Amino acid sequence: TGQQQAYIKAWGKYFRVEPSDPCPPRDDQCEIVAIWNFVQQNFRYVYDPRRIDTFCTAKLSLDAAGGDCDDATILFASLLESIGFHMRCRVISLPGDLANWVHIYPLVGISKDDPVEWLPLDCTVLGYLPGQEWPDIGRIKDFDM
């Protein structure tokens, strides 16, 4: 049958993790996928309260087991920067509404030393994998974190 679920304990709470071997040293891709899997298993997209835009720390998002797109961006950036990755965030508008930024998600630099490529990590869209991003973008603006 299948593998048993594995857990780690942090801040007095248990979080699900993929049962797997540790990443080899300097395997950036493995580390990114491990953190992606951790976020996918412990964070779900939920709206902010009506008319209030909240911004949660990584701990608060994990305690709540979810948040919106800016909370997911903060969570990914916190986890990946803590192991040496460079991070950016991308805000987008939709083609029919270029004046309003409607979504944000993180970009992780491929290569910790000198990133030359940026991988989108948008976990707010069900079924997305690392590298996939919103298909219908009007405008993009990237910011270093």
Side-chain angles (χ1 to χ4, degrees), residues 29 32-33 87-88 105-110 117-122 129-132:
Q29 193 67 32
I32 292 168
V33 169
M87 298 298 296
R88 290 182 175 166
Y105 47 92
L107 306 170
V108 61
I110 304 300
E117 183 182 342
W118 295 89
L119 183 73
L121 298 174
D122 190 353
L129 297 172
Q132 291 181 289

Side-chain angles (χ1 to χ4, degrees), residues 18-73:
E18 284 282 320
S20 64
D21 293 329
C23 292
R26 299 189 179 275
D27 189 338
D28 292 353
Q29 193 67 32
C30 179
E31 292 175 345
I32 292 168
V33 169
I35 288 183
W36 171 271
N37 289 338
F38 174 79
V39 172
Q40 287 286 68
Q41 291 182 8
N42 295 286
F43 180 94
R44 78 189 233 336
Y45 181 84
V46 293
Y47 286 103
D48 277 336
R50 244 178 92 205
R51 293 192 213 80
I52 301 171
D53 197 10
T54 64
F55 300 91
C56 293
T57 64
K59 182 183 182 311
L60 286 174
S61 290
L62 288 171
D63 281 345
D68 68 354
C69 57
D70 50 56
D71 302 322
T73 300

